[in-house]
């Protein structure tokens, strides 16, 4: 195991240069996915101001009342997650990332050229009645997409507010039908050192990146499987083509570029917990009153404005998740 442990670096200066990637349009997106027919995806066309997801089942799932979809990869915004917060500048969010497979620095976008994100098989199995192996975009077809504005809080004490496009993870769980013994979900990222230069730079890290949630956390309506951001398919540096977003936990729980999901009966180890268990425990809920061993978590810095604001317990999502952690 690792002799040299490089902790996440929270002193790296922000890089606020102008963007270099070309914004995706729907045609480009379909080409990437290898879909010939324009009707193949259940994604509303660009320019549809009132796009709707194909399934609008519950209050948190549904997005029937579309509000301000924002780009070429439109999905109706779920009104329950459409706060009046100011969004983080998109260019800044796309140039200030953590994705250690590519680099330990924040300018991940410079190192992702070789990364192939389509086709993208995901294996879903373990203690389930209906295991499946699917392409990430088949999941989009199955579940449709909605947009949600969430706060994201990194353990390094920076934060952003972004519109994610995805589907509630509980719907995938229902599809594969976990057995009663399933108590946890384990996620794993790709393992391709040839496409991800960071993996070779720190070969002692326990690649591929892996994470986990309790089953009740995975079932929580907030837990989102994400394929887009700012109304566009995920750029590689944000975890293309598919990632988790668990907004009440520190960002490292939101694993990127997932290839494997297993339902299991015991609490899995996680990547960062394996490296530094006292600094990155399994649960890792955002908590201003519990300092990281090396720094305070009382405040956080917004990555674009530089504003320092008070950290909120559960990143402000206590209404949804506090009961998960009520003792007794
Ligand atoms: N997932 C993988 N596979 N590899 C990583 O290094 N970093 C995590 C998380 N998911 C990481 C990952 C961390 S530390 C954070 S803060 C978030 O991704 C950052 O997400 P963003 O770059 O889209 O803002």
């Amino acid at each position: 195991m690792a002799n040299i442990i490089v902790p996440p670096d929270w002193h790296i200066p922000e890089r606020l240069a102008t963007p270099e990637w070309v914004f995706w349009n729907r045609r480009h997106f379909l080409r990437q996915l290898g879909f010939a027919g324009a009707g193949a995806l259940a994604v509303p066309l660009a320019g549809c101001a009132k796009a709707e997801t194909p399934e609008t089942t519950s209050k948190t799932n549904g997005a029937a009342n579309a509000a301000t979809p924002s780009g070429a990869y439109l999905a109706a915004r779920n009104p329950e997650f459409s706060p009046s917060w100011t969004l983080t500048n998109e260019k800044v969010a796309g140039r200030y990332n953590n994705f250690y497979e590519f680099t330990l620095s924040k300018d991940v976008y410079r190192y992702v050229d070789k990364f192939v994100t389509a086709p993208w098989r995901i294996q879903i199995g373990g203690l389930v009645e209906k295991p499946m192996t699917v392409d990430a975009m088949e999941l989009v077809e199955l579940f449709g997409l909605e947009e949600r504005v969430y706060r994201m809080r990194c353990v390094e004490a920076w934060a952003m507010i972004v519109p994610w496009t995805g589907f509630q993870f509980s719907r995938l769980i229902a599809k594969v039908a976990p057995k009663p013994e399933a108590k946890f979900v384990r996620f794993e990222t790709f393992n391709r050192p040839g496409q991800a230069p960071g993996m070779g730079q720190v070969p002692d890290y326990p690649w591929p990146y892996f994470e986990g949630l309790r089953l009740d956390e995975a079932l929580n309506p907030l837990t989102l499987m994400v394929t887009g951001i700012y109304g566009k398919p995920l750029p590689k540096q944000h975890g293309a083509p598919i990632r988790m977003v668990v907004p009440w936990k520190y960002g490292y729980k939101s694993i990127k570029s997932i290839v494997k999901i297993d339902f299991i009966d015991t609490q899995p180890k996680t990547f960062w917990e394996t490296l530094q268990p006292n600094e990155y425990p399994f649960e890792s809920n955002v908590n201003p009153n519990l300092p990281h061993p090396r720094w305070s978590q009382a405040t956080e810095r917004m990555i674009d404005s530089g504003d320092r604001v008070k950290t909120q317990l559960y990143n402000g999502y206590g209404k949804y998740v506090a009961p998960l952690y009520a003792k007794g």
Side-chain angles (χ1 to χ4, degrees):
M1 246 299 299
N3 295 319
I4 301 168
I5 292 172
V6 182
D9 182 351
W10 65 306
H11 294 293
I12 289 167
E14 291 178 34
R15 295 172 206 277
L16 304 177
T18 51
E20 73 176 4
W21 71 79
V22 178
F23 290 153
W24 296 69
N25 58 31
R26 183 169 184 273
R27 180 170 303 210
H28 185 185
F29 176 56
L30 289 173
R31 238 191 351 254
Q32 276 287 114
L33 305 181
F35 279 92
L41 278 183
V43 180
L45 287 169
C48 291
K50 279 220 158 186
E52 287 194 7
T53 50
E55 294 175 42
T56 54
T57 45
S58 73
K59 199 174 170 212
T60 48
N61 244 356
N65 300 315
T68 59
S70 50
Y73 181 69
L74 298 182
R77 182 172 294 175
N78 184 327
E80 184 161 352
F81 303 107
S82 187
S84 54
W85 305 331
T86 305
L87 297 183
T88 297
N89 179 289
E90 178 183 349
K91 296 167 192 170
V92 177
R95 293 196 162 211
Y96 192 89
N97 300 95
N98 277 341
F99 205 165
Y100 294 97
E101 286 84 339
F102 295 95
T103 173
L104 298 183
S105 63
K106 296 287 185 274
D107 55 346
V108 178
Y109 72 98
R110 295 179 194 273
Y111 302 92
V112 294
D113 285 357
K114 288 191 185 154
F115 183 34
V116 178
T117 59
W120 191 271
R121 302 299 278 172
I122 307 183
Q123 250 181 287
I124 307 161
L127 299 169
V128 294
E129 301 291 350
K130 301 175 188 165
M132 58 202 271
T133 300
V134 282
D135 191 273
M137 294 310 137
E138 287 175 59
L139 294 178
V140 172
E141 279 189 88
L142 269 175
F143 301 117
L145 293 171
E146 61 176 274
E147 186 176 73
R148 296 185 181 189
V149 174
Y150 277 172
R151 298 167 46 81
M152 156 76 102
R153 170 61 154 81
C154 181
V155 72
E156 298 163 342
W158 54 263
M160 61 182 191
I161 296 172
V162 298
W164 299 109
T165 310
F167 57 85
Q168 203 166 293
F169 188 62
S170 61
R171 301 170 73 195
L172 175 57
I173 297 179
K175 182 92 184 159
V176 296
K179 294 179 179 170
E181 312 90 86
K183 300 283 183 261
F184 294 88
V185 189
R186 183 184 184 277
F187 303 89
E188 195 172 295
T189 298
F190 67 91
N191 188 6
R192 302 184 202 156
Q195 295 180 16
M199 298 178 77
Q201 281 160 18
V202 274
D204 285 344
Y205 275 19
W207 310 110
Y209 196 98
F210 50 104
E211 251 305 334
L213 293 172
R214 286 171 14 192
L215 184 60
D216 58 352
E217 294 173 330
L219 282 166
N220 188 275
L222 285 181
T223 305
L224 204 62
M225 195 149 210
V226 161
T227 60
I229 187 170
Y230 294 101
K232 299 157 193 169
L234 281 175
K236 294 175 182 177
Q237 65 271 30
H238 275 300
I242 196 158
R243 68 176 292 175
M244 296 306 297
V245 171
V246 191
W248 73 97
K249 292 180 178 285
Y250 290 120
Y252 57 88
K253 301 292 293 182
S254 292
I255 182 172
K256 296 176 171 180
S257 304
I258 297 165
V259 296
K260 199 162 184 282
I261 302 174
D262 276 316
F263 291 76
I264 55 181
D265 56 2
T266 46
Q267 182 174 306
K269 282 274 175 234
T270 70
F271 181 85
W272 284 108
E273 188 192 16
T274 303
L275 286 167
Q276 286 164 289
N278 61 325
E279 301 197 352
Y280 309 107
F282 181 83
E283 188 169 271
S284 289
N285 294 326
V286 175
N287 187 346
N289 307 313
L290 190 63
H292 184 278
R294 290 183 283 127
W295 59 83
S296 164
Q297 295 290 23
T299 63
E300 62 204 35
R301 178 181 55 85
M302 301 308 295
I303 56 171
D304 56 350
S305 64
D307 291 348
R308 194 155 275 282
V309 298
K310 280 192 175 160
T311 300
Q312 298 176 57
L313 183 62
Y314 304 122
N315 205 18
Y317 293 103
K319 170 180 148 192
Y320 296 95
V321 300
L324 290 176
Y325 308 105
K327 298 253 184 328

